[in-house]
Amino acid sequence: MSTRYPFTAVVGMDDLRLALLLNAVSPSVGGVLVRGEKGTAKSTAVRALAELLPEVAVVAGCRFSCDPASPDPGCPDGPHGDGGADARPARMVELPVGASEDRLVGSLDIEKALADGVKAFEPGLLAAAHRGILYVDEVNLLSDHLIDHLLDAAAMGASHVEREGVSVRHAARFLLVGTMNPEEGELRPQLLDRFGLTVEVAASRVPEERVEVVRRRLAFEDDPAGFAERWAGEEAALRERIVAARKLLPKVALGDAVLLQIAATCAAFEVDGMRADIVMARTATALAAWAGREEVTSEDVRQAALLALPHRRRRNPFDAPGMDEDKLDETLERFKGEEPEDDPDPDQGPDGPGDGGPGGGGVPPQGGEGPAPETDGVPEEAPAQAPAPEHTPASRGAGGERAAVKAAEPFRTKMLSVPGLGDGAAGRRSRARTEHGRTTGATRPRGALTKLHLSATVRAAAPHQRARGRSGAGLVVRRDDLRQAVREGREGNLVLFVVDASGSMAARKRMGAVKGAVLSLLLDAYQRRDKVGLITFRGRAAELALPPTSSVDAAAARLEELPTGGRTPLSAGLLRAHDVLRVERLRDPSRRPLLVVVTDGRATGGGPDPVGLAARAARLHAADGTASVVVDCEAGPVRLGLAGDLARHLGGTAVTLDELRADAIAGLVREAQVNRSVRRAA
């Protein structure tokens, strides 16, 4: 067994270590989500925690780690008699991002279940993690169907495996710890809320601390056992402190005044639901026990809020987690020492969100900027009789470049999808053959059977029963009889945005509307679990502003900073998109692309015949069968229809900004039909 890096040897990261230790003291806190840039020792700290947890008493021979004091009556290995007890170290089970559903929840031997009526169940990772730690590195990259199983197990404390009428249930209560790099994409809100606490980690900018990190890491790699031995004393002391805090935890008093502070804080920051209140109460209690106190204080409540609330305040994926600490202190001070009234006046309560000062990054004692000031998303208009902003010298950069314009308010968009049936990653955009969804047929399994098609299996086995010597009620089933269910669901696609940032788009109000439309499509891509990429073109060339990624908030940030001005090299943008899609087809061939071109259709740069070059570049995409949509940004009473011409060359469809809205009166062609002539929605 390899030697793990000692927990006490981790340099800095006080918030991360505290959050992990609080969960070790009180697993009911609900786990930890660790957000941070790559190379910040997130995984090292989490793996080191397992060595500090006390041993677990389990029923001897039970594969599901039942507690001898109160064994699970529904345990598949039960009922448990007086079989004795064993003690073993607490487990830390790692869930790989690419794990299968059977690996996570376990698998049934369908052949034995049909032929013999025997529930031959092989436990999965959820069973192995029971009463221990379930660690998911890069949790934001997990497939949707695995996330669904995690949500169910975390909510109910049990895992259910059902296959065509055969059902197995077992306990699955674990400490959920996840790490993620926000640049690679955000978590679904449902899973985000399941983590009790969240912390942000970043590499230290203090040279002395960085030197100490390198020194310790090199020493550990040179002699892991010797390095661990040097820290054995600190590890033992920390382990004893965890045990002492666990014993003290039931004695900690959570007074009504403190509960009022917790409720007032959650109400003031408008968090959804009641889970935040419960997590804050459990965290504050664990903080008191960790400090060796039997009473929760206001400082415990403050620390609990900074750990439990930042990730619950997000309203959309473009909001950065954070807390206004001035507002937090004001709320705690206002309700300090007060007792809740028996019949409170519903009109009286904590203040709603106001104009607080710049807050911290949401996790003490790290700083960072607080949430950005709220805006209505509508670009400012120039005052009457004043020069338009795009004509003022301050708004222009070198070469006629104009400063970035704020995006208009995002809206719910119409459904855009890729035609046909794909085999890509699970998502919510286009039709695809998936492991989950409605059953559309049956086939012979190519590998392990995962989804049995019962009627097809019975039909395959029925003609052979006499030849197989069937004499009883059971059906004699052979491996060749088994049929895999073919299911149709939805897949996630690669949505590649090609955005015109040239001078023809540079009118302030117009570009704000265009950015608002792209931002709306990015939000839709986040909800449908797509990968996104962003190409912009202006001046003389096109730029890959964001390579294909799962991080739609990174795309939104690039879009917000996008300046405009110069000529319109439309052909360069389309050719760059063709190169990007060619590489992505080699890298991820099962993920089908959707090209979204946002332009007014003008082409004024890129060669002697810019319009002809753009048409030829568009026909390259049509020849590849790339589904495409042109968002027509042309404005004014006189329209040239150039975007429609471009859509014809692409073999896709064209929609206006107004038609892109889900609540628009005009209909939108729902699928980008390849090799189909363009038509405008009426």
Side-chain angles (χ1 to χ4, degrees), residues 431-444:
R431 294 173 54 224
R433 289 176 287 266
T434 60
E435 294 186 3
H436 301 269
R438 63 186 182 90
T439 301
T440 59
T443 185
R444 291 179 181 271

Side-chain angles (χ1 to χ4, degrees), residues 184-480:
E184 297 172 342
E186 286 292 348
L187 276 175
R188 284 170 53 186
Q190 296 93 329
L191 184 57
L192 192 64
D193 189 51
R194 291 295 179 186
F195 287 97
L197 310 179
T198 183
V199 291
E200 298 273 350
V201 297
S204 173
R205 298 297 183 259
V206 180
E208 291 78 11
E209 287 189 6
R210 297 175 73 96
V211 167
E212 187 61 23
V213 169
V214 174
R215 181 183 292 118
R216 293 185 185 183
R217 187 67 203 184
L218 293 178
F220 173 75
E221 292 175 355
D222 289 341
D223 183 10
F227 184 84
E229 183 64 27
R230 291 196 293 274
W231 290 89
E234 287 83 349
E235 293 280 292
L238 191 58
R239 193 177 296 111
E240 292 175 1
R241 185 176 175 184
I242 292 173
V243 173
R246 283 190 172 188
K247 292 180 179 178
L248 182 61
L249 187 66
K251 303 177 183 178
V252 176
L254 190 67
D256 289 343
V258 171
L259 280 174
L260 179 60
Q261 283 188 315
I262 292 172
T265 300
C266 292
F269 285 97
E270 295 186 310
V271 296
D272 295 332
M274 295 297 298
R275 183 175 284 115
D277 304 62
I278 297 171
V279 170
M280 273 189 64
R282 290 171 174 167
T283 304
T285 304
L287 281 163
W290 181 248
R293 290 184 272 102
E294 295 186 3
E295 185 175 354
V296 177
T297 66
S298 293
E299 185 56 33
D300 295 330
V301 175
R302 185 183 191 278
Q303 185 82 352
L306 291 169
L307 291 171
L309 296 188
H311 61 301
R312 293 185 165 89
R313 298 190 61 243
R314 301 188 68 184
R315 291 295 182 265
N316 65 63
F318 309 136
D319 293 337
M323 288 281 289
D324 185 340
E325 295 192 37
D326 290 340
K327 181 178 177 180
L328 173 61
D329 292 336
E330 180 184 342
T331 303
L332 293 176
E333 184 62 30
R334 177 179 176 185
F335 290 90
K336 186 175 183 179
E338 294 187 13
E339 295 290 340
E341 300 177 5
D342 293 335
D343 185 17
D345 184 349
D347 294 331
Q348 300 294 327
D351 293 336
D355 297 329
V363 232
Q366 297 171 4
E369 296 180 356
E374 296 182 0
T375 65
D376 59 6
V378 180
E380 299 176 1
E381 296 289 348
Q385 298 180 352
E390 60 267 23
H391 296 299
T392 59
S395 66
R396 290 182 179 270
E401 180 180 296
R402 295 172 175 86
V405 177
K406 289 185 178 180
E409 187 72 20
F411 51 84
R412 190 166 63 91
T413 66
K414 290 279 191 178
M415 174 68 170
L416 304 175
S417 61
V418 179
L421 197 62
D423 294 291
R428 293 183 175 84
R429 184 170 297 279
S430 305
R431 294 173 54 224
R433 289 176 287 266
T434 60
E435 294 186 3
H436 301 269
R438 63 186 182 90
T439 301
T440 59
T443 185
R444 291 179 181 271
R446 295 180 180 178
L449 181 70
T450 56
K451 297 292 182 182
L452 177 74
H453 195 295
L454 183 58
S455 60
T457 299
V458 172
R459 288 196 302 270
H464 308 291
Q465 295 305 294
R466 180 175 296 179
R468 293 173 182 174
R470 174 184 171 185
S471 58
L475 189 69
V476 181
V477 179
R478 299 286 186 262
R479 174 69 187 173
D480 290 343

Side-chain angles (χ1 to χ4, degrees), residues 521-577:
L521 290 168
L522 285 171
L523 182 59
D524 181 69
Y526 165 77
Q527 295 167 341
R528 300 188 187 282
R529 309 294 288 171
D530 294 318
K531 289 178 68 175
V532 296
L534 177 63
I535 293 173
T536 64
F537 59 93
R538 63 188 181 90
R540 297 182 178 179
E543 176 189 0
L544 180 59
L546 183 71
T549 176
S550 297
S551 178
V552 295
D553 51 344
R558 300 289 196 282
L559 180 71
E560 195 69 27
E561 300 165 357
L562 178 64
T564 58
R567 288 181 170 270
T568 312
L570 177 56
S571 60
L574 295 173
L575 290 174
R576 189 64 184 270

Side-chain angles (χ1 to χ4, degrees), residues 46 49-50 53 91-93 129 131-135 174-175 177:
V46 173
L49 176 68
L53 298 182
R91 290 175 179 160
M92 192 192 74
V93 177
R131 303 177 66 199
I133 301 173
L134 181 61
Y135 172 49
F174 46 81
L175 170 59
V177 181

